[in-house]
Amino acid sequence: MRRLGMGVAWCIVSAAVAFAQDAGQHSGKAGLWEVTTTMTWQKSPVPPGSPGGPPGAGTHTTSVCLTQAMVDAGALFPQSRGQCKIENKVIKPGTVTADYVCTGKMKGKGLLEATFSDLEHSSGSLHFQGTLDVGSQARPIEWTTVSTSVLRNSQCPSDKPQAPAAPKASQ
């Protein structure tokens, strides 16, 4: 069976956290962020979590340290990754919506929605439907992620690695 996990995992992780940005306004604060993401599979081409398969469902929490420059560059905003792109982005006060479109080994479209109540809290969701090439066959794939992000501390512990800055071209 061919390895599917990494490409699907990047799509899921890259779209899990979202903040809206307005020109000249910070989209969040620098510091230690805690991101909790719950993933569910509606359709998977192979059993999730199996060797070579997509990541398993469940809830995962991670911490990431961001500088203000990283936040301002869009590190908290959903990113295009590989052959999956953010398109038709609509930013309104307190919300952002967009399409998450994949055109490679995984083909399909997802609806990304995010809200933020302030510069220290965000929630978002992504529901994706499409196909994933498994061998020579295109098999149905459908998954949903729901996430929350909370600023836990304005200072990062010295033992926490910083997240890479987001590429500006994908905003």
Side-chain angles (χ1 to χ4, degrees):
M1 191 174 295
R2 295 176 55 173
R3 178 97 180 125
L4 305 175
M6 189 53 123
V8 175
W10 261 118
C11 291
I12 294 163
V13 171
S14 68
V17 180
F19 276 75
Q21 287 182 285
D22 294 322
Q25 181 178 343
H26 294 305
S27 57
K29 292 183 178 179
L32 180 65
W33 284 86
E34 182 179 87
V35 180
T36 301
T37 301
T38 302
M39 179 179 183
T40 55
W41 285 96
Q42 290 78 48
K43 294 179 186 171
S44 176
V46 295
S50 66
T59 299
H60 306 282
T61 299
T62 187
S63 295
V64 62
C65 286
L66 299 173
T67 65
Q68 193 63 56
M70 294 164 124
V71 171
D72 293 346
L76 292 171
F77 199 78
Q79 303 297 313
S80 297
R81 296 272 189 237
Q83 295 175 325
C84 295
K85 307 287 182 213
I86 302 294
E87 296 181 354
N88 305 317
K89 183 170 47 175
V90 176
I91 299 172
K92 295 181 181 178
T95 65
V96 62
T97 58
D99 293 327
Y100 194 70
V101 180
C102 299
T103 58
K105 182 175 181 166
M106 183 167 66
K107 296 171 186 66
K109 183 174 168 182
L111 175 61
L112 177 78
E113 300 178 341
T115 60
F116 62 98
S117 54
D118 54 40
L119 297 178
E120 298 179 2
H121 301 87
S122 175
S123 61
S125 65
L126 172 65
H127 180 83
F128 183 89
Q129 292 180 293
T131 61
L132 183 65
D133 294 341
V134 179
S136 61
Q137 294 183 332
R139 295 195 178 163
I141 187 169
E142 182 178 356
W143 46 267
T144 303
T145 59
V146 177
S147 66
T148 58
S149 303
V150 178
L151 180 68
R152 289 295 179 202
N153 196 321
S154 61
Q155 300 295 315
C156 291
S158 60
D159 64 339
K160 277 280 181 207
Q162 290 187 344
K168 283 188 171 266
S170 64
Q171 295 179 15

